[in-house]
Amino acid sequence: MAHTELAAVAGRGLVAEEPLVTGSADDLLWDTTADVVVVGFGGAGAAAALEACERGASVLIVERFEGGGSTANSGGVYYAGGGTRFQQDAGVADSPEEMFRYLEQECKGAVSEATLRRFCEESVANIEWLAGHGLGFEGSLYSGKTNYPPEDKYLYYAGNEKVPAFAARAAPAARGHRTKGAGWTGYAYFDGLRQATERLGIPVRTHSRVQRLVLDSTGAVIGVELIEIVDPADRRKHQALYAKVDPMRPFNTARAEKAIAEALAFELLVGRRQRIRARSGVILSTGGFGYNVGMVRAHMPCLADRNNALMRLGSMGCSGGGIQLGVSAGGAVGKMDHAFLSRMIAPPDALVQGIIVNRRGERFVNEDAYNALLGGAIMDQPDGDAWIIIDRDLHRKLLRQCIPTGDGTFKPYLAPALLNLFLGGTRKGRTLAELAGRIGVPADRLEASVAQLNAAIAAGQGDPMGKNPDYVRPLGRGPYRALNTSVGNPYSFCIFFTLGGLAVDELRGVVLRPDGSPIDGLYAAGRAAMGLPSNGYISGLSLADGVFSGRRAGRDAAMGRGNARSAADAGSDGAR
C-alpha cells in the first residue's frame, strides 16, 4: 500500500504507521502470542472476543484506554426484532420478514439483501446471546414518539416505524431494546460485556494503542505492534485526558481537542513498543473517526468546518486508527462521507407540530422523522441552515411542555430545547412576512409553505410531507417564532458520528482490498467497518451491528489462518 493512499484516507489526522513487513512470523521476536488479537474493547470488540473464545481460540484484547468507547457512551439501545421474548412480553407482534421489510427502507442497500435477511433472522438469537451473558432487557413498552424512552420503559419505537411512508411497507413494531439501568444505559450494556469477558478469562491489554500492523511477505497480517503505557501514574494521567472528552458535555470542543493532542503526544513520550503475534487473525474494532477533525475534513469538510457546533457521540478512541491500520495493509474503504447527524426536536412534541423550512422558505422534510433522517435532511440544505416555524399557541405549548416533571426528560431534551429557544438565535415576527425578513428567507415562499399546509389540512388531505396525523395541525395566528435548527448553531446540539469504514466480506468479516480480494488474517467489525448503518441510522442499529459483525469476525478468525470458507459454508450457528 503506497503511503499516499493512507494519507488520502487519514488527511491531516494520520495516527497509524505503515506496516512492519517481515519474511515470516519466525523472523521476529514477539512479546506475547494469541490466536486472535482484538484491537478495541467496545461493543463490537467484546462480541468478537467472546465469540472467538467460545469457539476455542486463545484471545487477547488490546485497548487504548480502559474500555467501553462509544458503546459505553451510548444510550444502550439494541435494535432487535423478529419476535424477541421481550417483544412478546409487551404484546408486540413481529417477524423476521416484517423486520426485513422495514430495515430495507432504512439501510438503503448498505449491505446485500442476503446479509440483511441474515441479520433479521439471527436477531432473536443474538439478543438471547447477550442476555445469556448477563445483559438486562425488559418488555416494558413505551408507544409514544420519543428519541429515548422514559426511565421505567425499556422497549420502544426506535426509528421511523410509525411514519406513514414506512408503515405502508412494513407493519410497525417496537424494536428498540434499551438495556436496563438508570439514564443513558450504554454503560450498563458494556459492563455486561466486560463482565462476560472477565468470566471467560480473556486478557485485556489496556492503555495500549496499536501503532502498526505486522505483515509477512505474502501480505497476510500476522500481528500488531503497539505502544503500551506501563507506569500506573502515567496510566492515571492518560485516563484523565480521556475523561476530558465528554461527548454529552456542551461547548467542550476546545477542551476536547487539546486533550486529544496531549494524549497522542503522551503515548509517544512514555509508551514502550510491544509486538503481539496473532496466529489466526487480527480484528479491528476501534470505532469510527468522529474525534479526528483532520480525518473528518478529508471526507466531510462541511462538518469539520462546524466542528465546534457538534456533539460528537463516541469517545477519544474514535480516532480512525483502526480504519487507517486496515488501509495501511491494503484495505479498501467506503461510505467515508456518510455520517449520523441527529437533530432532536422531540420531546417536547410541540416543535413536531411546527414546520421546518430552509433558507428558501420551503419545507423539505416531515418534522416527525427520526432524528437522524431529520439531521441528514438539514445537512443537505444550503449551508446546513434550517428553522422551525411555530405560531403563538405552539410557543405557549412548548413552554408548558418544558416544565420539569421528574420523568428524566428535562436534562437531555427539555433543557436543550429551552437553551436553543432563548440563546440559539430565535427570531420573532408578528406576521410571516416580518418573520421571513428576520431570518432572511423569501417572504412569499414562507407564506406559500404555510398556505399549502393549511389548505391540505382544511381539505382533509393530511400533511403534504407525510407527517404522522397525530402531529399534523395548521399554523394559526402570530406572533410567529423561528427556532434556529441549523447545523452550525451550537445551541441546536446536533449529535454526530461517522458511519463509513473498511470494506469487509459480508459472510466472514475479513477486510477486502479494492479489487475485492481478502487480506488474510485481517478483520473489521463495528464502526471501523462498513455495515448495516452505513447508509442511514436508527437508534440501536450500531450496537446490533456490532454484535452481528463482531461475532461474525470472531467466528471466522477462530477457524484458523488461511480459512477460505465462509461462515455460512462452515455452518454458522449465529442463529442457534
Side-chain angles (χ1 to χ4, degrees), residues 40-42 61-68 204-209:
F41 189 30
I61 300 172
V62 179
E63 163 58 32
R64 184 181 175 192
F65 297 100
E66 292 182 358
V204 182
R205 185 78 65 92
T206 58
H207 296 279
S208 300
R209 178 165 65 86

Side-chain angles (χ1 to χ4, degrees), residues 32-36 41 46 49-54 56-61 133 192-205:
T32 190
T33 299
D35 291 331
V36 178
F41 189 30
L50 288 167
E51 183 70 21
C53 182
E54 289 168 348
S58 63
V59 180
L60 174 63
I61 300 172
H133 280 299
L193 291 174
R194 184 200 295 275
Q195 291 168 23
T197 62
E198 291 173 351
R199 285 193 294 271
L200 290 182
I202 300 173
V204 182
R205 185 78 65 92

Side-chain angles (χ1 to χ4, degrees), residues 235-256:
R235 287 181 166 223
R236 288 192 294 272
K237 182 176 180 180
H238 190 232
Q239 192 65 22
L241 291 171
Y242 173 86
K244 291 182 178 181
V245 176
D246 182 347
M248 298 313 294
R249 180 176 179 175
F251 319 115
N252 191 45
T253 304
R255 185 172 184 259

Side-chain angles (χ1 to χ4, degrees), residues 197-452:
T197 62
E198 291 173 351
R199 285 193 294 271
L200 290 182
I202 300 173
V204 182
R205 185 78 65 92
T206 58
H207 296 279
S208 300
R209 178 165 65 86
V210 173
Q211 190 76 1
R212 61 177 173 172
L213 297 174
V214 182
L215 279 59
D216 67 16
S217 58
T218 71
V221 175
I222 58 173
V224 300
E225 186 172 280
L226 55 85
I227 299 175
E228 181 181 23
I229 298 175
V230 179
D231 183 79
D234 288 338
R235 287 181 166 223
R236 288 192 294 272
K237 182 176 180 180
H238 190 232
Q239 192 65 22
L241 291 171
Y242 173 86
K244 291 182 178 181
V245 176
D246 182 347
M248 298 313 294
R249 180 176 179 175
F251 319 115
N252 191 45
T253 304
R255 185 172 184 259
E257 289 302 320
K258 181 180 178 183
I260 289 168
E262 289 178 355
L264 284 168
F266 188 67
E267 290 160 3
L268 293 173
L269 178 66
V270 305
R272 68 180 185 187
R273 295 261 177 167
Q274 299 278 308
R275 288 183 192 146
I276 301 175
R277 181 180 176 183
R279 284 187 292 255
S280 297
V282 172
I283 301 175
L284 303 172
S285 53
T286 54
F289 57 97
Y291 276 92
N292 185 329
V293 181
M295 196 167 171
V296 171
R297 185 171 298 282
H299 304 283
M300 293 171 280
C302 63
L303 290 180
D305 289 342
R306 293 162 176 79
N307 188 55
N308 290 342
L310 301 176
M311 303 281 286
R312 294 176 288 178
L313 192 59
S315 75
M316 190 189 289
C318 297
S319 66
I323 296 172
Q324 293 182 26
L325 289 169
V327 171
S328 76
V333 294
K335 316 290 186 182
M336 296 294 282
D337 59 346
H338 289 208
F340 169 85
L341 188 72
S342 164
R343 182 60 184 96
M344 297 183 184
I345 65 172
D349 67 10
L351 296 179
V352 181
Q353 294 179 303
I355 65 170
I356 298 181
V357 300
N358 57 22
R359 61 168 48 210
R360 294 188 294 268
E362 299 170 344
R363 292 178 73 197
F364 55 90
V365 68
N366 56 312
E367 293 77 14
D368 70 328
Y370 175 67
N371 57 75
L373 194 155
L374 190 62
I378 293 172
M379 184 170 61
D380 289 340
Q381 302 311 302
D383 295 328
D385 288 341
W387 293 267
I388 303 176
I389 310 299
I390 58 175
D391 59 20
R392 180 191 64 176
D393 291 341
L394 283 178
H395 177 248
R396 292 174 177 175
K397 182 178 181 179
L398 170 63
L399 294 177
R400 289 195 303 270
Q401 290 182 339
C402 285
I403 297 173
T405 61
D407 65 353
T409 62
F410 183 76
K411 183 177 179 180
Y413 302 115
L414 305 183
L418 288 172
L419 282 172
N420 193 32
L421 175 65
F422 293 115
L423 301 176
T426 298
R427 298 291 182 263
K428 179 181 177 182
R430 291 170 297 173
T431 65
L432 289 171
E434 182 178 315
L435 183 69
R438 297 274 171 85
I439 61 176
V441 306
D444 59 339
R445 296 284 185 88
L446 179 59
E447 289 173 335
S449 295
V450 174
Q452 182 186 26

